[in-house]
Amino acid sequence: MTTTADLEALLATHEDDVLAPNALAELDDREEFPDGAVRLLDYAGLAAHYVLTPDGDFSRTVRLLRAVARRDLTVAIAHGKTFLGAAPVWVAGTPEQAARLAERVRAGEAVCWGLTEHDHGADLLASEFAAVAADTDLDGWRLTGEKWLINNATRSTLACVLARTDPAGGGRGFSLFLVDKRQLTHGSWRNLPKVRTHGIRGADISGFALDGAPVPADALVGERGDGIAVVLKTLQLTRIACTALSLGAADHALRLARDFATGRELYGRRLADVPHIRRILGRAAAAALTAEAVSVLSARSVHTLPGELSAISALTKAYVPTLTQETLTSLGELLGVRGFLTSPPGGGFAKLERDHRICAIFDGSTVVNRAALLNQMPRLTRQLSRRRTDAEGLRAAADLTAPLPPFDPARLTMLSVTGCSAVQALPDMAARILDQGPPQAAPLIDRLLARLARLERESADFVPVAGGLPSTAFGLAEAYERAYAAASCLLLWLENPPLRTGRLGTYGLWLRACLTVLAGEEESAGSHGTDATSVFDALADVVLATPATEFTLWGGAA
């Protein structure tokens, strides 16, 4: 299987041709698909990692997609979409369906996921795309309707499509079908035109229309009526996979900002030596490391804590793209006017920033994911008060050297019965850090525990309101996301001694920087001797001295 080191080495050899920034920018200007770069990824065998076998490693898939995304988001999104399209089969397909699809995915065939429709958007229960059973089950189904704003809708040979199988609709009124375009009768499938988009301009964002298209009985994924449930369980995987795009975008942006700061002078002084610039760089790096910690823990939790993914995936998808977009905004201010140029010396930052905006919308917007978290908040709050955790699953997720158990889709649930072990373990982890961790982190831990106590108080009486949630409730979701992010940082620090060494680990630098971001700089500065300026300044030194591909907590060679 391809390692991230292998992929990085291959991609580096093509940074002057199909992955050259100027070449990718020209394709973007012409709104053309990046064929050359996608073929390179096919050659690299990346598609094999979109097959989620029981003995596979979901976290490796995230690492590999991150390596692509740090070069170009359009390329990563165009190629990685196959994982999203195939994932429902890994979740609910029969062994025979999974085996057949795995063979075709490994061979480089693209798969799209047909969920949304022009008139209904992401309101899946309003979908009109219909499947009507033939005379007998053996005769299969006939599919009719349109799917719109679908990534790789035109280029794919396979489509996993949500269809209404009960005219009355409802939670049990929809089913999923894996449609093989090559087997459809002539005239029953029609591609819809490419849709022009603000970002990822070269991606195949289009749609398709079916008119009584016949599909065999074994095209049904899962049982009839299971469509919505399978989609929601599949989103628990794809939402975490999307964090790879944000991590790669942050890597790319930090590299551009670092190169600009080291290569430009202002009044006879390097920008990299200006305190304000260093603070921006250091804070951006701390935010990127915080997002990475969340992604690492969540990706490994797919194997070790699958029953909690309904909560973990929602908060992860809300938190990581939002924090990354804020980070891109701050780095854009550092770059100044160059951040808005579409050609050097802007270095592609404008394209990067535009492309990343879609990441917050993929697989449910930030609001949608926070609403999903809030709907579980009463149970999450009860479990938080009990302090019960799946200690073994949590430890296996956090220990980067621990072997991952097989992925078991049968353990995915619509709601987490056990809450979120990482947040529930936060007080215990904080005590361990105070006892074993860097003394400089103590004031930040105190601030963290105070915020957790406030979250418990404010969420104690919260009850989701049928038909809508008050805007003030979303503050609870954000607070819970920050608690999970803090738990991710503490867990990785405690379970991985190598992360306590080197320039990032000495004196708890990365941990203190991440906790400073989570606590809020204005609250951290000067508190008990903790100074956000000094910790961000120290982190800026590391950024300025470290290649972008190596500025990571996660081992890059796995």
Side-chain angles (χ1 to χ4, degrees), residues 235-248:
L235 287 171
Q236 295 174 22
L237 306 180
T238 61
R239 284 170 171 166
I240 296 173
C242 284
T243 62
L245 305 174
S246 291
L247 298 185

Side-chain angles (χ1 to χ4, degrees), residues 377-409:
M377 191 60 72
R379 180 173 293 176
L380 294 173
T381 302
R382 287 195 300 272
Q383 294 296 339
L384 176 57
S385 67
R386 294 167 184 165
R387 303 292 194 259
R388 295 175 183 170
T389 66
D390 182 341
E392 182 179 349
L394 203 54
R395 189 176 301 109
D399 181 355
L400 302 183
T401 64
L404 289 169
F407 166 66
D408 183 2

Side-chain angles (χ1 to χ4, degrees), residues 88-98 220-222:
V89 177
W90 315 145
V91 169
T94 64
E96 294 76 19
Q97 285 176 321
L220 180 65
V221 179

Side-chain angles (χ1 to χ4, degrees), residues 137-157:
D137 289 342
L138 294 177
D139 291 333
W141 303 77
R142 288 191 176 273
L143 276 55
T144 300
E146 293 187 1
K147 292 294 180 180
W148 180 76
L149 280 189
I150 309 301
N151 193 358
N152 278 347
T154 299
R155 303 180 66 87
S156 60
T157 56

Side-chain angles (χ1 to χ4, degrees), residues 285-354:
L289 290 173
T290 305
E292 181 182 12
V294 171
S295 176
V296 168
L297 191 70
S298 298
R300 291 179 61 88
S301 294
V302 166
H303 295 267
T304 68
L305 296 165
E308 298 185 3
L309 287 185
S310 61
I312 291 172
S313 62
L315 66 86
T316 298
K317 180 59 174 60
Y319 184 76
V320 172
T322 300
L323 180 62
T324 301
Q325 194 64 42
E326 292 171 357
T327 302
L328 296 183
T329 298
S330 69
L331 292 175
E333 293 172 357
L334 183 155
L335 290 166
V337 69
R338 282 165 176 75
F340 295 92
L341 301 179
T342 57
S343 60
F349 182 85
K351 176 182 182 305
L352 163 66
E353 198 273 343
R354 276 191 285 106

Side-chain angles (χ1 to χ4, degrees), residues 50-51 82 85-90 95-107 109-111 158-160 178 221:
Y50 301 154
V51 178
T82 287
V89 177
W90 315 145
E96 294 76 19
Q97 285 176 321
R100 289 196 302 268
L101 180 59
E103 183 178 358
R104 296 179 65 171
V105 169
R106 291 188 179 108
E109 291 192 47
V111 188
L158 295 155
C160 196
L178 183 62
V221 179

